[in-house]
Amino acid sequence: MKIFALAGNPNCGKTTLFNALTGATAHVGNWPGVTVDKRDGVYKGGSEPVNIVDLPGIYSLSPYTPEEVISRNYILDEHPDGIINIVDATNLERNLYLTTQLLEIDVPVIVALNMMDEVEKAGDKIDAKALESVLGVPVVEISALKSKGIKQLMDRALAMSAQRKGTTVLKGVLDKQLETACAYYEADEVKSPLFHAVKLLESDEIELERKGAKDALEKASSGEDLEAVIADERYKYISTNLSSVKVKKADKGVLTKSDKIDRVLTHRVWAIPIFIVILFFVFHLTFSENLLFLNGFTEDMGWMPSLVDLGLATEEDGANNFGVEILAIFYDGTVYSPGVILTNFLNLFLDHISDGIVTLMENGGAAEWATGLVGDGILGGIFAVLGFLPQILTLFLFFSILEDTGYMARIAFVLDRIFRRFGLSGRAFMPMIMGFGCSVPAAVNTRTLADEKERTATIRVIPFFSCGAKLPILTAVAGGIVTAFGVGNADVITFGMYVLGICAAIVCVLLMRNTTLKGETPPFIMELPAYHLPLFKNLMIHLWDKTKHFVKKAFTIIFASTIIIWLFSHLSWNWHYLPDEGMQNSILASIGMLVQPIFTPLGFGSQLGQFGWVFAVAAITGLIAKENVIATFTTLALCIGAYAGNGTEEGIEELTGLITVITADSGISQGQFIAALIAFIAFNMTTIPCFAACATAKAELPKGQFKWTLLFWLAASYIVGAIIYTVGSWWWTLFIWVAVIAAVTALIVLRNLGKFDIISIFKRRKS
Ligand code: GDP
Ligand code: MG
């Protein structure tokens, strides 16, 4: 089978074309650097099937970034039968810079002029025929997004002759130098001598590693530095030849729509406040139980009647009939946000299934333990986790829209200025944002960061950007606080926790970049992509991927974990079955009680009394998968609630039940418990992430850094949790923490100024 490689600048539509050609559903993002690895598929629409390889986006074939090295090595070493060079037609000058380099390789090249739909919309014209004669290779106009011109492109690609000698735009400029350099490669029968010769003249690092290359360069260039000359010539060639190719619409000075939007969205002062407001609305629409604050900002301002007030439901039995149950999906004293409505809808459905199965088992005379295992253990755990899927998807949908439109790229650009002060470049923003979805792809994406230390620091803080699996912890605990104590707004607490994670990340990066991971922050050059309307199909693909992943996890890892948790909470050390009332004597309880004191400084340890071990167990099971935290609560809370005589309902209410039981049992004050619960969320957000994320981090981190990273996560989560609990419970402890932090900062500053060296002081003492 023939192999064609897709090469082009970042964000020119390679992956979109790849998907259109192969029917694959690879991630398309309006973001440079989304495709870091190469990927392949088969195109079957032509006279013969061909293999298509999607290479990472690159601006040149010089080895400045990992992507460039991957793409260059692939083209030179794997000898594809042709290169499909995708060119963003809305940005010809920049894109053709890469084309001029690809043309130097001895391989058939075809240029796909992509985004022609945009060009036409803007009223511009591009003469493909003229471009074809300038470049000397076929040029086909396409729109990958609208699947236009794809068939023509592939037909012409398949018709290209297999042999092609490289050509260069430097002809007539550096003829003599090129001849000498080519001779050096031809003597060794190197393939694509012209390409290598030009790179050698550019003093390319990879070329210079070759034996005798330095001498050959010296001989060819006579010591002259030609790198800048060559880049200059390429641009000159492009601009002189392009005038005959491109016809711009007359109104040149007028700002495009993108430019106008950018004036506001990337404004020096307003960009960041606007971003924060947008983020807040995203969270509000996902989590709020008080849509647009229609029911007032605080409880006192509330004026909407609840279903009980309306006589449609009773405190004890809930809704009067099925109709009211449906109404309660949307409204109960407050109007719910879309995210909450979807959640309610799914939970109503899941509740009925779970009730049905349990009733069926009871009527069929199943043993008590079996009903418990299925109802509280398996169904309770899995459904509790699945119930959060709508909110995860809603949040994810908003992020996908922001990314697809090109807004996130702007934010990276805006944040670069600020990131730089913390020792990161704007490039680190993308992996961090991806972290809100899942830490695993986020850690892989850090490969776009050129500097190893910057990369290590970024990988370490990625888990602080709370992922989809941690979202249930946030929502459930925030919901628990609101319902159990009647304080606050769930979405404000949730938003606050996300912000807290971001702040923790900033502080930690700042700390690391000033101590163990000191180094230069590489410059960040990025092309701002044009604004696009997000494509419905793309959005659905993102959501479907997420759903698949989540559901699969629920029915594998979470399924297994809930069974184990339920079993160990209903078995004593001598393997006797314990009913719910006996749970305090179970294996799980005794293990939990053993580790419980560790968490005392964080507020969810010994002070929570005899049932407090549930928190310790939840924190630990979360190390396998973060969804387990809530699955654990649900499974255990259902049992504890049942026996403590506190009838708990399904859904978020389990945690409320548990909180009520613990408050009554341990006598802990409301303020302290709230601080502890928030510390619990923060601990889970900043501690060691799940198995999968750890494995990825280990693979992506430089050698020997993983153990320090684990230690870092443990220390960070413990300190963050302790600060929140102590300050939340006793405000004056703030002064102690401030003093400690100030002292540490002072030490670091002094050390970095070279005025104070802990290690040498130590050594002096010893001797
Ligand atoms: P890659 O980085 O080169 O892989 O680019 P992607 O395939 O991820 O696409 C980048 C952005 O360009 C996405 O928002 C696409 O929807 C958009 N895009 C791709 N092809 C076209 C096209 O032909 N027309 C328009 N208008 N947008 C496109
Ligand atoms: Mg891509």
Side-chain angles (χ1 to χ4, degrees), residues 509-523:
V509 166
L510 195 61
L511 207 67
M512 285 188 279
R513 293 292 273 168
N514 278 300
T515 53
T516 54
L517 295 174
K518 247 193 255 175
E520 290 281 312
T521 310

Side-chain angles (χ1 to χ4, degrees), residues 570-587:
H570 288 79
L571 282 178
S572 66
W573 283 103
N574 46 19
W575 297 96
H576 281 298
Y577 167 71
L578 302 165
D580 289 348
E581 299 84 273
M583 210 160 83
Q584 291 298 94
N585 300 318
S586 66
I587 299 178

Side-chain angles (χ1 to χ4, degrees), residues 9-16 28-30 35 114-115 117-118 143-145 404 532 538:
N9 285 184
N11 218 34
C12 67
K14 280 182 312 303
T15 306
T16 312
V28 176
N30 196 358
T35 313
N114 192 27
M115 313 231 185
D117 55 318
E118 294 268 332
S143 165
L145 191 71
D404 254 19
H532 295 289
N538 273 346

